[in-house]
Each structure stands twice: as structure tokens, then as C-alpha cells.
Amino acid sequence: MDRQGYLEETFFTFSFSPIRDETGGVGGLFHPVTETTSKMLAERRTRALRDLAARAGKAKTSDEAFTLAAQTLSEFSLDIPFTLFLSTRCPRRGSPSDGPLRLAAGDFQRARSS
């Protein structure tokens, strides 16, 4: 549907009910329509999170975690059109390590504003 200048995915539910006239015959049709887009999108996005959480527990390494997450999220391309995975590896004597990255409270804000 084209709303507010762009195409968007929408969902509707509808039904048909006869409207009887004074003779008891069908004199018209009542056709109520209810938009259910927010409900449908919420269900689909919740399913994406559920599947991601279910598969995340199977990863033994960060590479496996990234692979499983990418595979899972690729099944939900309508809700997650792109994904960026970041891995920080702290160099220790020339060799990469999965050690923790510690940031001061303001580091994230500075990185976002630059």
C-alpha cells in the first residue's frame, strides 16, 4: 500500500455479512475491514527473536555465533534488511584474542556523534 509517500507492507482482515431488507432478502452487504499490520509484524519479529535465541545457545565460538545469527536473520529479510556484526579483538603481542572490550561511559556517545 502506498501511504505517506512510500510503499509499505500492510495486513488486513475482513468479513462479509449480508444486510437483510424488509422482505428478508439480501438488500446489501456489510464488509468490515480491520488493519492488523502491527499485530502481524509484531508476531513475525517476535518469531525472529525467538529463533535467534534458540539457535544462539548452540554456538561454541564467536564465529559460530555470527554464522548462526546470520543464517537465522536471513530468514527475516522483510524485518531485518541488513545486519552488521562487529567483533572486537584486542591485540596481545601480535595475536588476536577474544578478550573483553572495556569502554568508558561516554565512549559510545562520542563514537555515535562522530
Side-chain angles (χ1 to χ4, degrees), residues 1-10 35 37 41 78:
M1 174 179 282
D2 188 346
R3 269 200 288 214
Q4 300 176 0
Y6 65 93
L7 290 177
E8 67 179 274
E9 181 178 22
T10 56
E35 183 171 1
T37 302
L41 294 179
L78 289 174

Side-chain angles (χ1 to χ4, degrees), residues 34-113:
T34 304
E35 183 171 1
T36 59
T37 302
S38 60
K39 179 182 178 205
M40 296 300 292
L41 294 179
E43 287 175 5
R44 195 169 65 201
R45 291 169 182 167
T46 299
R47 191 168 45 253
L49 292 173
R50 183 200 63 215
D51 291 357
L52 182 60
R55 294 179 189 171
K58 299 175 183 174
K60 303 288 188 230
T61 66
S62 56
D63 286 341
E64 284 180 18
F66 290 143
T67 300
L68 288 171
Q71 289 170 346
T72 303
L73 296 176
S74 70
E75 297 169 15
F76 299 94
S77 60
L78 289 174
D79 297 305
I80 307 169
F82 69 93
T83 306
L84 174 66
F85 296 101
L86 297 175
S87 174
T88 55
R89 298 189 183 223
C90 302
R92 292 186 185 154
R93 298 184 187 184
S95 118
S97 170
D98 280 349
L101 176 66
R102 306 235 187 260
L103 297 174
D107 288 349
F108 181 68
Q109 284 298 104
R110 284 195 299 273
R112 287 181 62 191
S113 61

